[in-house]
Each structure stands twice: as C-alpha cells, then as structure tokens.
Amino acid sequence: MIKKLWPYTRGCRKWIALGVACSASEAVFELLLPLVMASIVDTGIPAGDTGYILRRGALMVAMALISMALGISSAFLSSRAGQGFGANLRQAQYDHVQEYSFRNIEKFSTASLVTRLTNDCNMMQMTLMMGMRLLVRAPVMLVSALALAVSISLKLSQVFLVAMPLLLVLIGLVIAKVSPMFSALQERTDGVNLVVQENLSAIRVVKSFVREGYEEQKFRKRNDALRETSERAFGFVVINMPLMMLITYGTIIAVMWYGAPMVQSGELQVGLLSTFFTYITQVLMSLMMVSMIMMMLTRSVACGKRIIEVLEEIPDIADNPSSSDLRVKDGSVDFEHVSFKYNDGSEAWNLQDINLHIRSGMTVGIIGATGSAKSTLVQLIPRLYEAQEGTVRVGGRPVKDYTLEHLRDAVSVVLQKNTLFSGTIRENLLWGDENASDREIEAACEAACAAEFIHRMPEGYQTDLGQGGVNVSGGQKQRLCIARAILKKPKVLILDDSTSAVDTATDAKIRQAFRTQLPDTTKIIIAQRIISVMDADLIVVMDDGRVAQAGTHDELMQTSEIYRDIYQSQQEGASVDG
C-alpha cells in the first residue's frame, strides 16, 4: 500500500525528509540530557565543583533549547507534509472520479465517495503527520535508550527480557482485535453520510410528506451503529493504555528493588541509577508510542485500501487507443443491432436489437411507457453508458472512434433531473460555452423561453441561483438547462423529458424555436405527452426495451396500437380537464 500511495507525496518529500531528520535529532538530544545530568550528580556535586556544575548546566540548557527548536521544526514540517499529502490524495481521487462512467459511480455510491475524499484522506494525512514524528522518534528512542541502559548496567537491563515481550504481545493482541473494527467503522461512516446526503438533497420532499420523524429515526439507527462500532474499536485502544502503564510501572518497581542493593554495595552510582530509570521510562514509553502508531496505522490501512480502490477503479468507458481527434461532422445517429444491460451478469436486456437511422437535422420524438428504456437509449449516444452488442454511430462513425471530449462536445443532453450549480444564472449558462457573448446567451435563452423570466429578476443574468438552483421553479430550471444545452451549439440535442414542468404553450414555443434556430441540429425529444412530439419528423415508440414502431404521427395512428392507446388516453384526460 505504501508503494501505491508514495507517488502522492510529490511536492512534499523534502518536507518529509527534513521532518524525519529533525525528529530523529530531537530524540538524540533528549537521550543525551540524562547523561549530562548524571555527571553533575556523580561528579560535580560530590566534588563541590560549582564551575563544573554551571558548565554542565549551561550545556543542558543549550541541549534543551536545541531539542525544543528541533521539535518545533519537526511539528511544522510534518504538518506541511501531511497537509500536502492529503491534498494530493483528494485531488487525485477527485480527478479520477471525473473519468468514471455512471456505472462506476453507482458501484461506490456518492456517499461513500464523499467519505473517501474527506474522512479517509484526513486520516491518511494525520497518519503521515504523526508518523513522521512518532514513527521516527519512537524507534530512535527505543534503540538508543536500550543501548544506553545496557551500557549503564547489563544486570539491571535483564528486566527488559520480561517487560518487552509482555508489551509486544499486548500490542499484537489489541491490533488483531481492532483491525476489522476499523474497516467496519469506515463503512458505518459511509452509512451516516448516505442518510445525511439523501435527507438534505430531498429536504422539500421530507417536509411536504411530514417525514421528519421517520428520517430522524433512520439517522438515529445509522448513528447508533457508528457509535457502537466506535466504542468497541476505541474501547480496546483505551484498555491498551492502562495495561501498558501497569507493565511500565511494574518494571520501574522491579528496577528499584534490584537497583537499591547495587547502589548500597557501590556497584552502581546514584546518578547512573536515576539515569537508568529515565532510560527505562523512555524505552517503555517508546513502546507505548509504537503501540499508538500501530493503532493509527491499522485504521489508516483500512482508509488507504478504500482510497486505493477509488484510484485503481478502471473507468468502463474511456477513449480507445484507436480513438482519433476526429470531429463529429454532422448530427446523424444510427443504432445497428444495439443491445444493452446495466448488469453484465443479468440475463435480461434493458435494450435489445435496436435498429434506428436518424438523419442529421431531424426532429425525433421518443415515447413509451415508464420503464420502456427511453432514457437508456439516448444515453448510449454520448457514451454515458456503453452498448454490449451492436454499434452506435454519430456523424456516420462509431462513437468509439471519437474521443469522449469530442463526442460529448457534439452532443448536448438535458437529463430528467435538471441540475444547476451555485452561482449566477450567467455562470450556469456559460457551462454550455465559456466564451459565449452576451448576445449568444440572450439568443439561447430566447430559444428556451427563459429570457422572459430572467428579465423580471432584479439582477437579471447576475441573479444568484443558490445551491442547486433553489431560487427558481421547476419549469424555470428546465428552461435554463435547455438554454445551457443550446448554447453549446451541438450537432445532436437530446431532451430527456425536459419540458415536463412547462405548460403546453411554452413547450410549443420551445419546439418552434428549435425548428427555426437549430435547423441543422438533430433534436431527440423524450416526452410523456404526445403533443410534445406529434409534429416530429420521426416518432419512435419504445416497449420493454425494444422499438415497437417508428414513423410519423399519422402513420403511427394507423399502425401502432401502443401509440394510439397513449394518444387516446391523453386526449380523454385533456377533455376531462377541460
């Protein structure tokens, strides 16, 4: 895992190297301080040599100041390296997610991706920050203090033969127990984020159905599961500390028991015994620091695996090696024996043996019952999904011959769920063409019948839409999304039930604008209302993933029972409404 994540330390490796050097040097100076202190106790004080004591005291002060400076530098450098590492991981994940197809995103879920980009990355950067200090400091202190303790008294150092194995066994048991708990902890975090995301994005629905109590209960269930998992995981971590302190103080008592007679017999000086105590404490505390690091590493391993899953996920739709810089020459669209299913392991096809030939500039309506795969069909054109069988052609060439950028530049899609972003109306429209002039923006809005309500707003095109376009109605949002798509000047314009929230008069004006202002653009309109497509050059009737019939309105009224039933039911509904 370190090998896979190491490339993302670029830009902060010098800070890592300097921070490690500072941390190691700080530990060395701290280890030397007790030896200087021992010389004062054993040499300066018995001899009454004030000059010697002052010189050694000044040396200790200097060493302490140097150690403090190294510690501050280590903290600063580790913080800088950790933040840089975390930023690189987040950016790499975000960039890679942009290459995902719909299917890749559905595999992880939006809530899980948010957790991996935030919570998991924060854990990784914290691990690097703490690791640069403790992972260097603890081993240096452990080995050096152990060596110095042995040099003072080999006999007393034998106490480590009991204490260290006990500590190592304890650390191993705790890590083995909490490791799976930390993986479950991240999954529980995903669950909480999912509930929060769903609730906030659909808050209007929640309030309109008075389901706040249900949502609170659902959140409480997920939140309690997260709390229980956290309590179990960190409960073992907390138990680890008092047990280690018990072993540490037990070791100190043992050294006192065996060291006191050695001082009385003159085998060991008082200053060296006190120094030995210091080194014992440092050795055991270093082991405790190692245990803390191992706990953190155990959790970070779970987070790291989740991050690597995102980074190593292969987008199932990408530019082929044979893709060229060809531009789409016109808006012709052809489906040749196309079949598609969302799940490769499923036996049933969502689309089966589709054959359609659409000339450039045509207006095509697609109609059918809910679940007849109308949206699925049009999403194959810009390769939002990939057909498993057959060939989809745009501009006379298979869609795989184009790069995704060039193909999607030529195809504008207004999906069922209209999405606007925080910012002004103008900023949202510029998604269609970031270099569009004010005249082009105005023309696109006129075609989409959006200019009329924009001009009524106090700040016009500079009106802030708020998050997700909360300041406009559903119909206004649809018209803004259509204007944005028109501004792109596409070869193919796809409207996926994108005028459902506007009245029939406005719908007719938009279609008329398409005919007069976009004569060379292929218009594909998915609609529930036959009136929205009845004047189309070609109407495609979908039924259970197949093309049941295709033709003009008059032809379908004669040949298609499905189309005729839909038309008659809508006419009867209109009569009743009237």
Side-chain angles (χ1 to χ4, degrees):
M1 188 174 71
I2 293 176
K3 183 179 179 181
K4 292 178 179 178
L5 294 177
W6 179 250
Y8 302 101
T9 59
R10 64 186 182 280
C12 52
R13 290 172 189 167
K14 61 181 179 180
W15 309 120
I16 294 176
L18 289 171
V20 167
C22 287
S23 186
S25 301
E26 178 194 13
V28 170
F29 274 96
E30 284 191 21
L31 287 167
L32 294 175
L33 276 169
L35 287 176
V36 179
M37 184 66 183
S39 67
I40 293 175
V41 173
D42 294 335
T43 302
I45 294 176
D49 190 343
T50 305
Y52 181 88
I53 294 172
L54 291 175
R55 287 193 300 273
R56 289 287 173 168
L59 178 60
M60 288 183 67
V61 171
M63 292 171 67
L65 290 174
I66 293 172
S67 179
M68 182 181 69
L70 289 169
I72 293 172
S73 300
S74 174
F76 171 77
L77 293 168
S78 63
S79 176
R80 186 160 187 171
Q83 295 296 331
F85 176 58
N88 288 343
L89 277 181
R90 280 189 294 273
Q91 189 67 51
Q93 286 188 89
Y94 187 82
D95 291 347
H96 194 56
V97 167
Q98 301 308 303
E99 300 174 3
Y100 282 6
S101 69
F102 288 177
R103 185 177 297 182
N104 292 120
I105 294 173
E106 289 159 4
K107 174 182 175 180
F108 287 101
S109 85
T110 305
S112 180
L113 287 172
V114 170
T115 304
R116 295 170 197 237
L117 278 160
T118 52
N119 183 280
D120 291 358
C121 281
N122 289 341
M123 188 64 207
M124 295 304 295
Q125 73 183 34
M126 182 63 67
T127 299
L128 180 61
M129 289 168 58
M130 299 298 292
M132 281 177 60
R133 301 211 67 198
L134 299 183
L135 202 57
V136 175
R137 179 185 175 86
V140 171
M141 293 285 283
L142 176 63
V143 174
S144 302
L146 187 59
L148 290 169
V150 170
S151 69
I152 291 174
S153 174
L154 180 60
K155 183 178 178 181
L156 275 181
S157 298
Q158 292 175 7
V159 73
F160 292 123
L161 296 176
V162 176
M164 291 183 68
L166 284 175
L167 285 171
L168 293 173
V169 168
L170 178 61
I171 293 170
L173 289 174
V174 172
I175 290 173
K177 189 69 177 177
V178 301
S179 181
M181 292 182 182
F182 282 136
S183 297
L185 183 63
Q186 298 309 114
E187 293 175 2
R188 297 287 187 273
T189 305
D190 285 349
V192 170
N193 285 345
L194 177 61
V195 173
V196 172
Q197 181 191 31
E198 287 182 342
N199 180 270
L200 295 180
S201 61
I203 191 65
R204 285 182 170 84
V205 178
V206 173
K207 290 187 176 298
S208 64
F209 280 87
V210 198
R211 297 290 280 175
E212 292 92 342
Y214 172 78
E215 286 295 314
E216 288 170 5
Q217 184 179 1
K218 187 165 69 172
F219 179 81
R220 185 178 296 108
K221 182 179 179 181
R222 298 287 181 95
N223 195 36
D224 288 345
L226 175 60
R227 175 181 55 79
E228 290 169 5
T229 304
S230 300
E231 287 176 351
R232 287 199 305 272
F234 292 108
F236 278 96
V237 176
V238 171
I239 291 172
N240 178 54
M241 187 60 66
L243 290 175
M244 296 193 78
M245 293 302 295
L246 178 63
I247 295 172
T248 298
Y249 290 123
T251 304
I252 291 174
I253 292 171
V255 170
M256 288 181 177
W257 181 270
Y258 292 107
M262 294 174 67
V263 172
Q264 290 176 346
S265 65
E267 185 179 349
L268 190 67
Q269 292 179 306
V270 174
L272 288 177
L273 180 60
S274 64
T275 302
F276 192 89
F277 281 136
T278 302
Y279 288 144
I280 281 179
T281 305
Q282 288 176 335
V283 167
L284 298 177
M285 289 300 175
S286 296
L287 277 174
M288 293 176 65
M289 282 193 289
V290 168
S291 73
M292 291 173 58
I293 296 167
M294 295 306 294
M295 300 298 172
M296 184 179 295
L297 287 176
T298 301
R299 187 177 182 187
S300 67
V301 165
C303 296
K305 287 179 179 177
R306 287 159 52 89
I307 291 172
I308 291 171
E309 284 176 357
V310 174
L311 295 172
E312 291 188 342
E313 174 72 9
I314 299 174
D316 63 351
I317 298 177
D319 292 336
N320 291 345
S322 58
S323 298
S324 64
D325 287 337
L326 287 171
R327 301 282 179 164
V328 179
K329 65 177 182 179
D330 59 49
S332 62
V333 178
D334 299 284
F335 291 83
E336 299 174 356
H337 301 289
V338 171
S339 295
F340 169 81
K341 52 187 173 183
Y342 287 102
N343 187 349
D344 291 332
S346 174
E347 295 182 1
W349 293 90
N350 297 94
L351 289 170
Q352 190 165 3
D353 196 29
I354 303 296
N355 286 282
L356 275 177
H357 302 283
I358 302 170
R359 297 189 309 277
S360 181
M362 288 181 69
T363 298
V364 178
I366 300 178
I367 202 160
T370 302
S372 58
K374 303 184 297 294
S375 298
T376 303
L377 178 69
V378 298
Q379 288 175 4
L380 298 180
I381 298 173
R383 291 184 72 193
L384 298 178
Y385 288 102
E386 195 88 275
Q388 283 92 350
E389 293 182 6
T391 304
V392 181
R393 298 178 183 272
V394 174
R397 301 184 67 95
V399 290
K400 293 182 180 180
D401 286 357
Y402 304 105
T403 62
L404 289 173
E405 180 181 357
H406 289 164
L407 175 64
R408 292 173 182 173
D409 267 345
V411 181
S412 273
V413 184
V414 184
L415 298 171
Q416 286 177 315
K417 184 178 179 181
N418 299 287
T419 302
L420 296 172
F421 299 89
S422 56
T424 65
I425 290 176
R426 190 175 192 280
E427 288 170 345
N428 272 271
L429 293 172
L430 289 177
W431 274 64
D433 180 3
E434 61 183 356
N435 299 313
S437 65
D438 290 343
R439 177 177 292 181
E440 290 172 324
I441 292 173
E442 184 73 27
C445 290
E446 289 286 352
C449 296
E452 56 189 56
F453 72 80
I454 293 175
H455 291 310
R456 292 198 300 268
M457 293 183 170
E459 298 181 57
Y461 287 92
Q462 298 303 321
T463 300
D464 195 305
L465 292 174
Q467 183 179 355
V470 296
N471 298 333
V472 291
S473 68
Q476 290 172 337
K477 187 182 293 186
Q478 283 189 334
R479 283 179 277 174
L480 287 173
C481 289
I482 293 171
R484 182 174 63 190
I486 293 173
L487 200 59
K488 196 175 177 181
K489 303 180 183 68
K491 301 291 185 183
V492 180
L493 175 62
I494 299 171
L495 303 180
D496 188 354
D497 201 17
S498 304
T499 57
S500 58
V502 301
D503 59 82
T504 54
T506 302
D507 188 8
K509 289 180 182 178
I510 293 173
R511 297 198 312 276
Q512 178 61 33
F514 287 167
R515 282 192 294 271
T516 57
Q517 298 186 32
L518 302 172
D520 299 325
T521 297
T522 301
K523 285 80 67 179
I524 301 177
I525 304 170
I526 296 176
Q528 299 294 334
R529 300 180 300 206
I530 282 184
I531 193 173
S532 297
V533 297
M534 62 188 302
D535 59 348
D537 301 313
L538 178 70
I539 301 173
V540 178
V541 181
M542 297 292 297
D543 182 36
D544 196 24
R546 295 176 180 269
V547 175
Q549 204 81 31
T552 63
H553 171 72
D554 292 336
E555 291 170 347
L556 291 174
M557 287 296 291
Q558 298 296 322
T559 60
S560 175
E561 183 179 350
I562 297 174
Y563 186 84
R564 195 162 50 246
D565 288 345
I566 295 173
Y567 177 78
Q568 290 172 354
S569 65
Q570 291 184 0
Q571 288 296 104
E572 290 172 2
S575 299
V576 171
D577 291 341

